[in-house]
Amino acid sequence: MGQQLRLTALLAIPAILAQLASVMLQYIDASMVGNLGANPSASIGLVSTSTWIMAGFAMAVCSGFSVQVAHRCGAKDFKGARSLMRQGFTASLAFGVIFSILGTMISGGLPTWLGGDPVICSDASAYFRIYSIFMPFMTLGFCSNACLQASGNMKVPSILYITMAVLDVAFNYLFIYMLGWGVPGAAMGTGLAECIMAIVSISYTVTRSSELRITGEKGSFIPTSRSIRDAFGITGPLWLQNVVMRGAFIVATVIVAPLGPIAVAANSLAITAESFCYMPGYGFEESATTLVGQCLGAARKDLARKFARINISLGAMIMTFLGILMYIFAPQLMDMLSNDPEVIALGAKCLRIEAFAETFYGVSMVAYGSCVGAGDTLMPSAINFTSMWIVRIGLALLLVPKMGLVGYWIAMCVELNVRGLLFLARVSGDRWLGKRFVEQKQTL
């Protein structure tokens, strides 16, 4: 157990530190726009769920290949891992270009479709358009970092994400304040930071990674029919999950938008403020995905289950502690992000509601990462559909008309607890690890 804990920490701590740096700089990023007033914050908040769904599609494409890379690395088939990585780069670039074109095409009408106040629609449209233009770089960066993590290298991706966050803040200061671009400047700063990170990540992966270096090695970048089929077996359910999850976020935005710019700004900034709670969850989620994937590649399904349990337990415990801190310091967290008293007060109420969901939110995040590492994506997508569309959206439709934004956050809190319980039930059994393991257990 001690060795397993050390290996978990070795993978999770760099990812958590990267999330910590990212979250702290997101606070600075949000406060830069927040200091411009409630309307600029609301304009970004209006389209934030739409940027999430695009990023979710990009990450799903990358996972389709990075999970296969993890399995090959676990089996010590590094040549096969490098072949899949090359194919993953091509697929990621192709889909990144498609996402970029589609995002640019819909950027003009998107804020209106979401029910945004006319006063914020222009900035919201410009932000989403610039964000979409940089999608190819974002997707390639995701793919390169995901493959490095799949090979067991968590340190370099963590450093790259931290560097990207620092560059984001520097570029934001340049474009938002020094050049006076306002909200579009925030999108430009983020896009340039992603572009630089992608270039550095790919350069390191293909020239310096001991497992994935391809310099001097011949190999095709054209995806084979088998790799596409296997990737789609992972990516397809993840796309479904993305539509289910991010689609529900977009519906939630439509529900919240009529409440006005103050509510939209408070909702968006409260989500940013809450992010410091779930950064350990993402770290342990990445650790679980890598460890479970490599254990299964080495035909150690018993060990894969142990690593899943360790990561889930640690993620839930740490997020519980941070949830307590969030409840106590909710007003101070919001004060860091906005200078509008109404936004601060409303956001603090929302954060204190959400504090009661952090434990099982942590369970759901890390359990989901464990399932992805095992290639089990269909049932987790079904769980997310049930919790998001039936519990969260259903409750929000009932509570928001009576309670405003607070009603939506109550619905979110209830849903996250339900989702955590459902995922806990999923990973408590054996089916998520594969049918052969279930049959093996029955014969013992």
Side-chain angles (χ1 to χ4, degrees):
M1 177 64 74
Q3 184 178 3
Q4 294 164 13
L5 284 171
R6 285 193 295 273
L7 185 55
T8 297
L10 182 66
L11 291 176
I13 289 176
I16 293 172
L17 292 176
Q19 288 292 328
L20 174 61
S22 177
V23 166
M24 293 305 296
L25 291 168
Q26 281 179 30
Y27 271 62
I28 298 171
D29 197 12
S31 67
M32 287 179 173
V33 177
N35 285 331
L36 299 177
N39 285 347
S41 294
S43 65
I44 295 179
L46 181 65
V47 296
S48 61
T49 51
S50 300
T51 62
W52 296 347
I53 197 169
M54 290 184 68
F57 277 121
M59 287 187 285
V61 173
C62 300
S63 295
F65 289 90
S66 65
V67 169
Q68 295 183 73
V69 169
H71 291 170
R72 295 297 178 91
C73 288
K76 306 301 181 183
D77 179 14
F78 297 114
K79 183 177 180 179
R82 291 191 292 272
S83 176
L84 286 164
M85 180 193 69
R86 285 193 291 265
Q87 297 173 53
F89 283 155
T90 301
S92 298
L93 178 60
F95 278 99
V97 171
I98 293 171
F99 298 149
S100 179
I101 293 172
L102 290 176
T104 304
M105 289 174 61
I106 68 172
S107 62
L110 180 63
T112 302
W113 302 340
L114 295 175
D117 191 302
V119 74
I120 65 174
C121 284
S122 178
D123 274 347
S125 177
Y127 183 91
F128 189 78
R129 183 181 305 110
I130 296 171
Y131 178 91
S132 299
I133 290 172
F134 284 97
M135 278 298 297
F137 297 101
M138 176 194 295
T139 309
L140 280 171
F142 282 160
C143 183
S144 180
N145 282 340
C147 288
L148 279 174
Q149 291 169 337
S151 72
N153 186 338
M154 304 294 283
K155 181 179 179 180
V156 171
S158 299
I159 292 173
L160 289 172
Y161 281 125
I162 292 172
T163 303
M164 183 182 73
V166 173
L167 289 173
D168 185 20
V169 172
F171 286 141
N172 279 355
Y173 185 83
L174 171 64
F175 289 107
I176 294 174
Y177 295 129
M178 296 182 67
L179 298 181
W181 286 20
V183 170
M188 180 62 71
T190 299
L192 288 176
E194 289 171 343
C195 181
I196 293 173
M197 185 275 288
I199 293 171
V200 175
S201 177
I202 293 172
S203 176
Y204 177 89
T205 303
V206 302
T207 63
R208 298 185 61 185
S209 170
S210 57
E211 296 83 8
L212 302 177
R213 182 174 60 242
I214 60 176
T215 51
E217 178 181 273
K218 294 182 179 180
S220 175
F221 282 81
I222 300 175
T224 64
S225 58
R226 179 177 178 180
S227 68
I228 292 174
R229 183 176 64 252
D230 292 344
F232 188 76
I234 299 168
T235 297
L238 289 177
W239 276 359
L240 175 61
Q241 137 118 355
N242 189 45
V243 171
V244 167
M245 297 292 288
R246 273 42 177 217
F249 290 145
I250 291 175
V251 172
T253 299
V254 174
I255 294 173
V256 171
L259 299 176
I262 294 295
V264 173
N267 182 61
S268 176
L269 294 177
I271 291 173
T272 299
E274 186 206 0
S275 61
F276 96 94
C277 272
Y278 52 71
M279 61 185 178
Y282 279 125
F284 285 107
E285 178 184 353
E286 293 176 6
S287 169
T289 299
T290 299
L291 289 169
V292 169
Q294 292 196 354
C295 287
L296 292 178
R300 291 295 308 274
K301 295 187 177 182
D302 56 333
L303 192 57
R305 176 198 272 177
K306 291 180 181 179
F307 275 122
R309 289 179 173 176
I310 290 172
N311 280 277
I312 291 169
S313 299
L314 292 175
M317 286 189 295
I318 295 175
M319 284 183 62
T320 299
F321 174 71
L322 293 177
I324 294 171
L325 293 181
M326 183 173 72
Y327 184 91
I328 296 172
F329 297 107
Q332 289 80 6
L333 290 173
M334 288 300 301
D335 187 58
M336 293 169 59
L337 302 176
S338 177
N339 57 10
D340 189 300
E342 292 182 82
V343 172
I344 293 171
L346 183 56
K349 289 181 181 179
C350 295
L351 290 178
R352 283 179 167 160
I353 293 169
E354 191 72 355
F356 292 95
E358 296 305 317
T359 299
F360 282 103
Y361 190 14
V363 170
S364 69
M365 292 172 69
V366 187
Y368 175 75
S370 301
C371 291
V372 170
D376 175 42
T377 53
L378 184 58
M379 184 54 69
S381 295
I383 291 173
N384 286 324
F385 175 84
T386 301
S387 64
M388 286 294 291
W389 285 91
I390 296 177
V391 180
R392 183 183 296 197
I393 299 300
L395 281 175
L397 290 171
L398 293 174
L399 297 178
V400 170
K402 299 178 181 179
M403 305 176 67
L405 185 63
V406 168
Y408 173 70
W409 281 72
I410 291 174
M412 189 192 308
C413 177
V414 172
E415 181 269 321
L416 288 174
N417 281 286
V418 170
R419 192 195 310 175
L421 289 170
L422 291 173
F423 268 105
L424 189 61
R426 177 65 179 171
V427 298
S428 295
D430 296 332
R431 293 185 180 276
W432 68 281
L433 284 168
K435 184 177 180 181
R436 285 181 298 172
F437 182 60
V438 176
E439 293 173 347
Q440 178 186 356
K441 288 281 291 182
Q442 292 173 344
T443 59
L444 294 178

